[in-house]
Amino acid sequence: MALRQTPDWTGALKRARAHSPFLDRSLARQSELAHLLAEGQGEEALQWAKSHCTLDDTSIALRRERLGLATALAIGDLAGAFPLSRVVAELTAFADRAMDRAISTAIEERTGEADTTGFIALALGKQGAGELNYSSDIDPIWLYDPATLRCRTNDDPGEAAQRYARRASALLSDTTSEGYALRVDLRLRPASEISPLVVRKGAALTHYQSAALAWERAAFTRARAAAGDIAAGEGFLEAISPFVWRHQLDFGAVEEIRALTQRIRESYDGALKPGPSFDVKKGRGGIREIEFFVQTHQLIHGGRMPTLRVRGTREALSALAAAGLLDHGDARVLGECYDRLRTVEHRLQMVHDRQTHTLPESAALDSVAQLDGLPDGAALIADLVEVTEQAGALYDRLIDVRPAAKAAPDTSNAAASRLQKLGFEEPEKLANRIEEWRDGRYSCLRSERALEVFDRLLPRLIEAFAASDDPMRAINRWEGILDRVQSAIHMFQLLDARPVLIDRLVAALTLAPALSDELARRPELLDTLLDRSARELPGDVEHIAERFKECAARPDYEALLDAIRLSTGEIRFALGLQMIEGHADPIDVGAALSRTAEAAIALVVDAAQREFAKVHGVIPDSELMLIGLGRFGGGALTHSSDLDIVFLFTGSFSAQSDGERPLGATQYYNRLASRIISALSVPTAQGALYEVDTRLRPQGTQGPLVVSTDAFEKYQQETAWTWEHMALARARVLVGSGTARANLDKAMRGVLIRQRDSHELTDAVTSMRREMAQHKKPAGPLDAKLSRGGLIDCEFLVHFLQLRGQDSDGEPLYKAHPHAYSPDLADAIPALIAAGHLDTSFLADYDLMSRMLVAGRLLAPGNTQPPQYAAAALATACLQPSYNALLQAFAEARQRVAGVWSAILGETIFEHDVLDTETEPNNE
């Protein structure tokens, strides 16, 4: 019911005395409280109830406080003064206080000190969620740490813990002349049928990390350290967080919740629709179904979306809607239904202070309705019919509740007939081949459960293969996945639960071998496609870095590295699929891949430095710096790019670190850099991150891995070759403090803008390009990088103009057009156009070939003509209407770049028409 604008305290007291024997007795027993409520002093009434906590006798204090709170909250609720959220919050806060006092009293009685260190009280269920109902049990889990638990000198910690648990439970739940405080149910503890009342923390950790069931995961979505040793409780919850919030989407949870719903509905013996004997908690459209829906979707997505890791049901509904996983209107309806059902639940429990959820018969039903402010039971039933119908219909649709059905595989003849209708050639042969998938040859299809889900999925999968651009290619690569994965039940469940993913899977299988191979290695990558962000480009470097950190199961070095590998793979896979499906511009994908690599490096460097400093300390007034060069420096990586990196350090090379095992600066930073490279490139269980290339450092492979910034600047000024200065033009400082970055940027800019002899520079650039062309031949007709007139020639032209350093009027280029020196050629080329050195068509040609490079790494990995449908996808990615149009546009772009090369450098690089000699049109 909506809150009245003006609370009706008189009406509330009248209804309570008339329709609730429990409240009538409570008001009579607490005359001072009744007076405060009659005067409408709700807050004062709550404070009066809480004042009982000062009593020395814990048993009496808790029972009197509970009775006072129950009475004050009930009347305030009925009066419309206290909203449902306030009522459940006050009840939960009392439960937390009471449990903490009971535990501390039990320990003090035996040890003389009320020290709860080592005794952990976790609140689960509605107490954990802050939603305790009016007459609820509490369902805590009590744990103890034998190493820190306060006990007598001669006590065994395990025995002492059990004594404390028994005494605390009695202080809370025993019925005395004062009543009871809280009913305690400890059956949610690990292996409750064999374990003691309070479980050793280490044993509980082992249980949740190895033997826990799915319902226990759901229970822990609401878990909270509520009493006792709060810090230890929070540490325990953090330790089992990977068990609760799995990074991998778990659609097996959907099946389990769906099956549990069916069992509850089948075993429920109350009224099917609101009326006498209807259970507002367990009935269709009741409280439990709304909570099941919320918890299921939190379990599925919460590992990847930390915003869903909230405890309250209403809060979780809002979070699901904000994350795009639930329609805002559906979230609102479910939330309103939940509140109304909880309110009716409270009315039922107020009557006799019993833990009940069932609507009573005739006159008793009228009494509950009138307590709620309605005229009679019929009005309450009508209200609940509307509420449960809305909630039940939404739950059925959102969870897809249906009778479990086991799919039977087609017979050979039926399968062949079906394949023929779908357009497959040689359907009998293919039917036999598909049936062989089930004969045990693939380890991922040997379990009964995997076969059950697979058989249910198979018809839709075959239909998707048939509708694809290349059905047999899809089947061949699907078999490759089946052959390489040890367990695929999660993937089968995911595809079965979200059929829309099947089309995206088929796209990956048919168009991009690299994505298909990665999917075979990590089938859980399909999870990324359900994230709303999977069709969006990742954010800035800081946003991506936060995503990496949130993914870490633990706050340690190895966990962070695994998290970075996992998340980087997911981002790369999602970006690849966006691109081949035509949803993302390859240029934007290249920039996103670069931001991802930069975020990974920033975290790896920071984590590696902290680990290294634990043993070797730090070097005062010195720091590590890292420069990205090439496509990395320019912010335009592909899916197969190496990372070109140079490591430097500031300060004196003669300095020494201050740790337990001190090192000189040069040795210190060279060992640190080696550790960073290993973290980035050495494969682990989660794969490798990147190949790292450090050959652009001073003196190449002949020089040390890390040199000081002073040595680097001296080398660039006095010794470096022209090609090294050209590489410096795409250098970007990625790691270092603001001051150090500014100083290094200034030094590198000084090298780039210094005066050079134009003829010597021309000779150096053209001779370098001729030598490269001689030793690095184009891999195929689509090699946009190495083909003459391609990207390498574009980059050489830009770097030549940058190093020559003048605009068209002979003025210094860096003054009139400073952006011409941007390491990102997408910024530098427009500046050079503005300076009068290049035509506007040069940028369009560069962009076309950049798209070809990025998209071609997936769709045409050998730079040769891809299959028909991959060729069409490549053309789309490059903004061309067809593959033949792409070939034509590429040839024309190369010829224009060749013309620019000839005009600026005075060298002809084509002797005859490019299109006629170096491309093969695709007969579309």
Side-chain angles (χ1 to χ4, degrees), residues 631 638 784-785 791 848-857:
R631 299 196 67 81
T638 73
K785 180 178 179 180
L791 286 171
L848 169 69
M849 291 185 282
S850 294
R851 291 186 176 99
M852 289 182 65
L853 180 70
V854 176
R857 289 293 187 259

Side-chain angles (χ1 to χ4, degrees), residues 232-505:
E234 290 174 343
F236 179 84
L237 291 176
E238 182 178 349
I240 67 168
S241 178
F243 156 71
V244 183
W245 304 112
R246 294 178 182 172
H247 187 71
Q248 181 176 335
L249 295 179
D250 187 3
F251 276 86
V254 174
E255 288 298 321
E256 293 183 18
I257 293 295
R258 185 181 287 144
L260 181 57
T261 299
Q262 288 299 134
R263 290 197 298 273
I264 290 172
R265 287 186 173 178
E266 289 168 1
S267 62
Y268 171 62
D269 57 3
L272 297 179
K273 293 184 178 181
S277 82
F278 179 79
D279 191 316
V280 297
K281 179 178 180 180
K282 298 179 182 178
R284 179 179 181 274
I287 292 168
R288 178 171 283 173
E289 291 195 349
I290 297 174
E291 292 173 342
F292 273 6
F293 169 78
V294 169
Q295 292 170 22
T296 301
H297 284 71
Q298 285 180 291
L299 287 174
I300 293 169
H301 300 281
R304 305 169 60 79
M305 304 177 75
T307 57
L308 301 183
R309 300 175 195 176
V310 295
R311 298 186 180 96
T313 302
R314 290 301 304 268
E315 189 181 3
L317 284 168
S318 298
L320 289 169
L325 298 171
L326 178 63
D327 177 80
H328 283 275
D330 290 345
R332 177 184 55 78
V333 169
L334 284 173
E336 291 172 353
C337 291
Y338 185 74
D339 284 354
R340 180 56 181 149
L341 289 163
R342 291 298 309 276
T343 299
V344 173
E345 174 188 49
H346 283 193
R347 301 293 179 263
L348 292 168
Q349 294 172 356
M350 285 175 189
V351 176
H352 295 293
D353 189 24
R354 292 174 184 164
Q355 178 72 341
T356 181
H357 309 89
T358 303
L359 299 180
E361 302 280 348
S362 55
L365 181 61
D366 288 336
S367 187
V368 171
Q370 289 159 8
L371 180 65
D372 191 49
L374 296 173
D376 53 31
L380 178 59
I381 295 302
D383 184 19
L384 288 176
V385 166
E386 181 180 356
V387 168
T388 56
E389 183 55 40
Q390 288 186 85
L394 275 174
Y395 181 80
D396 288 350
R397 173 167 61 82
L398 294 169
I399 293 289
D400 186 24
V401 177
R402 59 183 186 271
K406 186 173 181 178
D410 289 339
T411 64
S412 180
N413 291 338
S417 176
R418 188 166 176 271
L419 291 170
Q420 186 173 29
K421 290 179 181 178
L422 290 172
F424 284 98
E425 297 179 1
E426 300 183 307
E428 294 85 0
K429 183 177 180 180
L430 181 57
N432 291 332
R433 179 176 169 184
I434 292 172
E435 179 58 26
E436 288 173 353
W437 296 350
R438 307 178 75 261
D439 67 3
R441 68 183 61 197
Y442 299 129
S443 60
C444 65
L445 282 171
R446 289 174 187 163
S447 75
E448 182 178 345
R449 179 62 180 143
L451 281 171
E452 179 184 340
V453 182
F454 182 73
D455 287 339
R456 190 166 64 234
L457 164 69
L458 187 58
R460 283 174 289 171
L461 193 63
I462 296 299
E463 287 174 6
F465 289 158
S468 72
D469 296 334
D470 193 340
M472 294 312 299
R473 184 184 181 92
I475 287 175
N476 289 337
R477 288 189 172 163
W478 172 251
E479 285 182 337
I481 290 178
L482 295 179
D483 185 47
R484 277 174 279 189
V485 298
Q486 293 301 306
S487 175
I489 188 169
H490 170 75
M491 179 172 66
F492 299 156
Q493 289 171 332
L494 182 62
L495 293 170
D496 182 49
R498 292 292 186 270
V500 67
L501 292 186
I502 295 176
D503 292 336
R504 306 198 76 192
L505 166 68

Side-chain angles (χ1 to χ4, degrees), residues 876-896:
T876 299
C878 296
L879 309 184
Q880 297 298 316
S882 67
Y883 180 69
N884 281 344
L886 172 62
L887 293 179
Q888 182 68 33
F890 180 37
E892 292 171 357
R894 291 171 58 201
Q895 289 175 322
R896 282 190 293 271

